Amino acid sequence: MTVEHPSDRLLAGYVDDGAPLAADELWAVEAHLETCPACRDRLSAAVGTEAPAVAALTAAVWSELEPQLAVAAPAPPRRLAARLATWTTPAMAPWLAMVLVVTALALLLDRVNPEPGPDRVSLLLVLAPVLPVGGVAAAWSRGLDPAYELTAATPRAGLPLLLRRTAAVLAVVLPALLLGGWATGVTAAQWLLPCLAFTSTTLALGALVGVTRAALVVAVGWLAVVVAPTLAAGRTAAVLGADGLPVWGPVLALGVAVLAARRGAWTAPGEHG
């Protein structure tokens, strides 16, 4: 695979404040410099040419630090907590705990009040599609994550990080739903497709209005349109039955397609929180 290196114009613009780069050029250069030692050497040379005072200051600081770095102890290997930090954020923990508590309560109510017959209402089933939504909102929320500004300003921020955190949410929620479904007799096919469809819809809508707002709209809409009428009528909505399963495949595909088409919307820091 051919690697595109920044041109001399881009590196000069990156160094010279008098000729600033466009936002997309700036992020592209920073992301490339993070993984390309050759271009970092080119950048050092450009700094020396464009700003000799800065280069002299950098050389002086390095001459002071180099002897100390040579005797410094090597960094300890990354522990499990450090690896998990690349997939989750502390702000997600309370929301994921709440999701697990809601799942447990729904399972308990289903077990305490079992209703025989094909039309029985399973609280676990009607809540399953929106259970991941709160965790997804917490995964990329300006208001819930104290480190949001710092995270969003890194070159690796954007859709890949959001998808990684979403996968972490699903890794917690789906096993809980699988266990609850097994205990109540609800098949995975009934809740898995709606669950994934709502997750993709939340992310797709989040590219337009923000993940937090999207999660709120999706959750409130589902509760008002499906959950409340289902509990009032005492009959499971058709969209959650076997006949409704073909509906969720296109919804999931549409959400993924919109998310792929709008993937550039997640590259700018500080947006869509």
Side-chain angles (χ1 to χ4, degrees):
M1 182 177 65
T2 303
V3 177
E4 291 290 340
H5 298 282
S7 64
D8 292 338
R9 179 191 69 82
L10 290 176
L11 286 181
Y14 186 78
V15 173
D16 186 4
D17 292 336
L21 300 177
D24 57 342
E25 294 177 327
L26 177 64
W27 287 102
V29 171
E30 288 191 350
H32 181 80
L33 288 174
E34 185 178 355
T35 58
C36 183
C39 286
R40 289 198 295 270
D41 293 339
R42 292 175 56 205
L43 179 64
S44 299
V47 170
T49 301
E50 299 290 337
V54 175
L57 177 61
T58 302
V61 172
W62 179 251
S63 65
E64 294 289 336
L65 289 177
E66 189 172 17
Q68 302 178 39
L69 294 176
V71 298
R78 298 180 67 184
R79 300 182 182 274
L80 178 61
R83 293 190 177 95
L84 290 178
T86 64
W87 289 81
T88 62
T89 170
M92 294 168 57
W95 286 86
L96 291 177
M98 181 187 70
V99 168
L100 295 179
V101 169
V102 171
T103 304
L105 289 176
L107 173 61
L108 179 63
L109 291 175
D110 282 351
R111 298 293 294 174
V112 169
N113 297 309
E115 298 178 8
D119 295 333
R120 76 179 184 92
V121 176
S122 169
L123 191 59
L124 183 70
L125 177 61
V126 297
L127 292 179
V130 292
L131 284 178
V133 168
V136 171
W140 193 262
S141 173
R142 184 193 306 272
L144 297 176
D145 187 0
Y148 177 82
E149 301 294 344
L150 179 62
T151 302
T154 61
R156 292 179 181 269
L159 183 58
L161 180 59
L162 176 62
L163 292 179
R164 180 180 291 189
R165 290 183 174 180
T166 300
V169 171
L170 294 176
V172 174
V173 175
L174 295 187
L177 289 175
L178 185 63
L179 180 62
W182 172 79
T184 57
V186 175
T187 63
Q190 289 179 272
W191 57 262
L192 182 57
L193 267 179
C195 191
L196 297 178
F198 267 63
T199 301
S200 67
T201 300
T202 301
L203 295 178
L205 187 59
L208 301 174
V209 300
V211 179
T212 305
R213 294 188 187 92
L216 183 62
V217 168
V218 168
V220 171
W222 179 256
L223 293 175
V225 174
V226 175
V227 177
T230 294
L231 297 180
R235 181 185 180 90
T236 302
V239 293
L240 291 174
D243 295 338
L245 291 180
V247 175
W248 296 109
V251 173
L252 174 59
L254 179 61
V256 172
V258 173
L259 188 61
R262 293 280 299 170
R263 60 186 179 277
W266 302 96
T267 57
E271 293 185 1
H272 306 297

